Amino acid sequence: MHAHRPAVFAALLGLTRAASAIGDFWVQSDFCARVKGACDEVPVTYEDPATQEKTTHGTADGRKACLHHCLTYTATQAIVAGAGARALGIRVRPGAAAAALALSFGTHYIADRRIPGHGLLEKLADKTGKSNFYRLADFGMNGAFHLDSTWHYGWETVAALIATTKATIR
């Protein structure tokens, strides 16, 4: 193992973690945040904050909103991690970067398509005895949000390990 690999990993993880928060909370639109879990069985009514117009959205719109969010989220990661790596003098292999971003995109979509009763995170929470925590939305806590965040943190760590593959210092 090269002596620089742990430092490169830590830098890439820090960059992707920061980019994830930016992509999830600053870049994601209100529409995507509210509609990305919509399905025909449990449609979502969205009220435009500017016009107060209400529209109802099902599966197709939920998929599109989640796809749009994941594209902007992943683009944010690519920009922040790419610029940060360049500024730090880290050369990431294009194939490793693409694989890491693809993993981040796919796992983010899977987690954020939170269809009530059918979403992956809800199913995992049920299977691991975390159902009550997943549904917690009281005392300043939101269990689904925390489980979602830790899901993303875990996959971002794997993605950073992938991106570190054959990375070099300039």
Side-chain angles (χ1 to χ4, degrees), residues 38-115:
C39 65
D40 293 340
E41 297 81 27
V42 186
V44 171
T45 300
Y46 177 76
E47 183 176 340
D48 186 297
T51 66
Q52 278 72 49
E53 178 186 352
K54 290 184 181 180
T55 53
T56 302
H57 304 274
T59 302
D61 289 338
R63 287 179 181 151
K64 285 181 206 171
C66 194
L67 178 63
H68 184 266
H69 164 55
C70 290
L71 286 170
T72 60
Y73 171 90
T74 305
T76 303
Q77 283 187 316
I79 292 165
V80 171
R86 186 163 186 80
L88 293 170
I90 299 168
R91 181 178 292 127
V92 178
R93 300 280 182 205
L101 291 167
L103 177 69
S104 182
F105 175 90
T107 57
H108 202 88
Y109 184 92
I110 289 168
D112 278 23
R113 246 331 251 146
R114 261 187 255 157
I115 300 166

Side-chain angles (χ1 to χ4, degrees), residues 9 13 100 103 153-163:
F9 165 74
L13 180 59
L103 177 69
Y153 294 166
W155 286 111
E156 288 159 9
T157 302
V158 174
L161 284 169
I162 291 169

